[in-house]
Amino acid sequence: MKKTLFSVILAATLVNLSGCAGVVAVGAATTVYAVTDPRSSKELLTDNDISLQAQALGNKPPLQFNVRVNATTYRGDILLMGQAVNQEYKDRITNEVAKIKGVKNIYNQMKVKPLLSISEVSNDVWITTKVKSALVGKDELKGAKVSVYTEDAEVFLVGVVTQQQADFAVEIARNVSGVKRVVKAFYYGESKPVQNTQEKDLDGPAPTQELSDTKPVHVKQATESNTSPSESVEFIQPIEEETFTEQDL
């Protein structure tokens, strides 16, 4: 019963109407839960609530029409994806997310650029669908549950997997047409992440990067907006573009 509840909650956590995300449960037809995720049902509910609150900020003034935010959370560590029209709004949403109860660390990888057009969002939805389809049914991913987020043709792969499963999933995703870059945002439990950065050939597969060096915004208390940098945690940080110079918020 607990595992069944786990499956329902995790699915709810990763479905987002405003973003381009999808969840892939891979393995035998009878496998409906992620056996590798160590979170309790209470932790899953808390993470889901944090993500929903963060995404809702984009629909409220003054952030409305100035940011487009997608979010996923693992034990209070929240990854923000999307766009902000300028750095001020990117910083502002970081400060607002820091006020959400339960937030521990913030990895803000929203790009400073105009919000995506309807056609660009549609393209991201299509890429997510293709990546999900490519991952389904692979024996190498049996028992794993991988969620797929696409923002501006960059694919974020999120989930609790083994290092081998992560590498396999990334290799599949980076060869899907239309993908500019694949970002590992996995949790490996006791395994230590290894950075893997590759440059993309014009006609080759998309590059990948595992983000283990960028420091997050560390939230001392969920009710305080005052933040300070801290060492990175096992939840993998999001990608940095070649033109992205900000290391710590």
Side-chain angles (χ1 to χ4, degrees):
M1 180 65 182
K2 185 175 181 180
K3 290 180 178 178
T4 302
L5 179 61
F6 174 94
S7 174
V8 174
I9 295 171
L10 184 58
T13 302
L14 298 170
V15 173
N16 170 32
L17 294 178
S18 63
C20 307
V23 184
V24 183
V26 189
T30 55
T31 302
V32 295
Y33 57 88
V35 295
T36 54
D37 196 316
R39 290 176 293 178
S40 65
S41 297
K42 182 178 180 180
E43 287 176 316
L44 285 162
L45 282 171
T46 299
D47 286 344
N48 178 47
D49 184 60
I50 290 172
S51 296
L52 291 176
Q53 288 188 62
Q55 290 165 181
L57 291 171
N59 297 321
K60 301 176 182 178
L63 296 173
Q64 189 177 25
F65 307 123
N66 291 302
V67 301
R68 180 178 177 277
V69 60
N70 201 356
T72 182
T73 307
Y74 185 88
R75 284 181 166 171
D77 296 332
I78 185 168
L79 169 64
L80 303 179
M81 301 160 282
Q83 304 83 42
V85 296
N86 57 40
Q87 186 64 43
E88 178 183 354
Y89 281 108
K90 180 179 178 181
D91 294 341
R92 178 172 288 191
I93 196 167
T94 298
N95 292 332
E96 291 300 317
V97 171
K99 298 176 184 178
I100 298 174
K101 183 179 179 180
V103 171
K104 297 176 182 177
N105 297 287
I106 302 170
Y107 302 96
N108 191 340
Q109 278 299 296
M110 297 173 64
K111 290 183 177 180
V112 176
K113 62 169 294 181
L115 307 189
L116 298 185
S117 65
I118 294 177
S119 63
E120 289 172 320
V121 172
S122 298
N123 183 61
D124 284 347
V125 172
W126 176 232
I127 289 174
T128 296
T129 300
K130 291 191 292 183
V131 172
K132 287 167 56 181
S133 298
L135 293 174
V136 168
K138 297 295 188 293
D139 290 339
E140 291 85 350
L141 298 176
K142 184 175 293 185
K145 181 168 284 187
V146 178
S147 55
V148 182
Y149 296 82
T150 306
E151 287 290 341
D152 201 17
E154 291 185 354
V155 172
F156 290 77
L157 299 178
V158 182
V160 185
V161 296
T162 65
Q163 181 70 59
Q164 292 75 19
Q165 288 174 327
D167 293 341
F168 184 81
V170 167
E171 190 60 28
I172 290 177
R174 66 191 293 262
N175 283 283
V176 172
S177 63
V179 175
K180 293 180 181 177
R181 187 184 295 267
V182 176
V183 184
K184 288 183 182 180
F186 292 118
Y187 182 83
Y188 303 107
E190 296 301 322
S191 300
K192 184 175 179 58
V194 178
Q195 184 164 331
N196 177 23
T197 307
Q198 298 171 323
E199 295 297 327
K200 181 180 179 181
D201 296 328
L202 290 178
D203 298 322
T208 68
Q209 185 168 351
E210 184 171 1
L211 311 155
S212 55
D213 294 331
T214 305
K215 294 179 181 179
V217 170
H218 178 63
V219 181
K220 289 185 177 180
Q221 296 181 14
T223 57
E224 296 181 358
S225 60
N226 183 31
T227 60
S228 60
S230 69
E231 293 300 319
S232 60
V233 293
E234 289 181 311
F235 183 78
I236 305 304
Q237 299 90 320
I239 191 168
E240 294 182 0
E241 291 295 324
E242 287 79 359
T243 57
F244 184 75
T245 59
E246 180 184 36
Q247 292 297 314
D248 299 328
L249 296 176

